[in-house]
Amino acid sequence: MSVTNHAQPAAGITDYIAIARPDHWIKHVLIIPGVAFALIMSQTGPIELATLAERLIICLFVAMALSSANYTINEWLDAPFDAMHPTKRARPAVQTAMSPTIVLAQYVVLTTVGIWAANRLGYAFASTATVFAVFGVIYNVRPIRAKDRAFVDVIVESLNNPLRFLFGWFAVVPSIAPPVSILLAYWFGGAFLMAAKRVSEHRAIVEVGGTANLAAYRPSFAVYTHSSLVTSCLVYAQGFAFMMAIFLLKYRIEYLVVVPMLIALFAAYMRLALTPDSAAARPEELMRQPAMLIAAAVTMALFGVLTFVDLPWLNSLTSSDLIRLGGIR
């Protein structure tokens, strides 16, 4: 798909780098919990620090290469639609004349290098990397192009979250799979973030150009309404809470202490999504939200502390015995 015209200046090397979105690599912070839980939960014995460091460097390189490959085709194919967005219209793929050959070559090189490096970390890691790359195509490229299908777009895009968790996990423990409950919790949590992002985008587009511009920006937005998006956020948040409850009760009840912090984080993000010109529409800018960063850091620190601190009184919450009241006959 070509989106160029004679009025556009030719794209330069910085423009091709920009569509790979290195500024979005901050999202790979979601790999860290995968690493942390693998170190905490696996029973495979200690791993040499040098070996671990090497595997984590390769892991991060794979994640950056494959995500940039997906971003490359994402921005290129989205250019006609981004031209209808109040802020995305400034993207290089909209403002410059890009060579389809160079764009395709950039995508192929990034994907090839990413998959090649992934194979150095074992079959499980390489399989995860392949799924990551394939779903980038499913999300962006016709005839499927999941991003144009309401609700399916969120489900497919948020798959990147558990895949990033698996990157971190398999970089540490290549022969053991993590609990399904935490992967589903990660998926639901990602779906909440992506739906909240769309709440913010939907509001911004309506405020600038009215409802007529919704479908022009993306076909799925012709189906979405503000209320359906907010309702979906509630559903995804409940799914996250349910899966986290299963994980906590099955593996370590002490993590229950972290739940209020998780609830506060979800509430803060939803509030952010409902404010004008929200950073929720641009998740890469969340790193400029100190309150969110501090809350997330405290939450992760609590997970770390509660991994080693036992709270026996919480065990009563898993008991099926009824509470007997003294003095009542």
Side-chain angles (χ1 to χ4, degrees):
M1 179 189 301
S2 177
V3 294
T4 63
N5 60 56
H6 297 298
Q8 293 173 309
I13 187 171
T14 56
D15 297 311
Y16 290 106
I17 293 173
I19 67 171
R21 301 183 193 171
D23 57 319
H24 283 48
W25 287 345
I26 190 65
K27 294 178 183 178
H28 297 316
V29 70
L30 295 172
I31 291 174
I32 295 176
V35 173
F37 277 105
L39 291 171
I40 291 168
M41 299 183 67
S42 66
Q43 303 296 323
T44 57
I47 182 172
E48 291 185 3
L49 185 59
T51 301
L52 177 61
E54 179 184 355
R55 292 181 66 85
L56 291 180
I57 290 171
I58 295 173
C59 168
L60 187 58
F61 174 80
V62 170
M64 291 189 298
L66 293 182
S67 63
S68 285
N70 289 343
Y71 288 138
T72 294
I73 56 170
N74 178 303
E75 187 155 332
W76 168 250
L77 295 175
D78 278 4
F81 306 101
D82 288 346
M84 303 298 173
H85 191 276
T87 57
K88 292 182 179 181
R89 65 180 61 173
R91 286 179 168 176
V94 179
Q95 296 297 321
T96 65
M98 290 192 156
S99 164
T101 302
I102 296 177
V103 171
L104 181 60
Q106 178 168 301
Y107 168 77
V108 170
V109 169
L110 287 170
T111 301
T112 302
V113 170
I115 297 297
W116 171 80
N119 277 279
R120 297 187 59 189
L121 298 186
Y123 175 80
F125 189 97
S127 298
T128 302
T130 301
V131 172
F132 190 93
V134 168
F135 269 85
V137 175
I138 290 173
Y139 184 70
N140 290 294
V141 182
R142 289 188 174 94
I144 300 177
R145 194 168 159 85
K147 74 187 310 175
D148 288 344
R149 305 172 189 269
F151 302 106
V152 176
D153 59 341
V154 169
I155 293 171
V156 172
E157 185 179 13
S158 58
L159 179 64
N160 286 340
N161 275 32
L163 290 176
R164 286 187 174 102
F165 184 96
L166 287 173
F167 277 154
W169 179 281
F170 287 136
V172 177
V173 189
S175 58
I176 301 175
V180 173
S181 55
I182 198 168
L183 289 179
L184 289 174
Y186 231 61
W187 198 340
F188 275 115
F192 170 82
L193 296 177
M194 294 302 99
K197 172 186 174 183
R198 283 160 175 77
V199 169
S200 183
E201 286 185 323
H202 189 280
R203 173 176 178 154
I205 294 169
V206 170
E207 287 180 349
V208 172
T211 56
N213 279 357
L214 289 172
Y217 166 59
R218 191 163 294 160
S220 62
F221 274 54
V223 178
Y224 284 134
T225 63
H226 181 77
S227 60
S228 70
L229 282 168
V230 172
T231 301
S232 71
C233 287
L234 176 62
V235 171
Y236 299 137
Q238 288 179 321
F240 170 82
F242 185 73
M243 289 301 154
M244 278 301 293
I246 293 175
F247 172 75
L248 298 179
L249 293 173
K250 187 176 180 180
Y251 292 98
R252 188 159 177 80
I253 190 66
E254 281 77 10
Y255 290 147
L256 192 64
V257 175
V258 182
V259 169
M261 289 298 301
L262 292 174
I263 293 173
L265 280 171
F266 272 66
Y269 196 87
M270 193 68 226
R271 182 177 181 276
L272 189 65
L274 294 172
T275 58
D277 192 28
S278 171
R282 303 173 297 279
E284 66 278 4
E285 293 187 8
L286 288 175
M287 295 302 107
R288 300 188 183 95
Q289 302 288 325
M292 293 287 289
L293 288 177
I294 292 171
V298 170
T299 301
M300 288 302 299
L302 272 176
F303 266 113
V305 170
L306 294 169
T307 298
F308 305 101
V309 175
D310 295 328
L311 302 174
W313 56 274
L314 287 174
N315 292 329
S316 62
L317 296 176
T318 62
S319 173
S320 60
D321 295 336
L322 299 178
I323 300 174
R324 297 186 178 276
L325 302 178
I328 298 180
R329 296 180 181 273

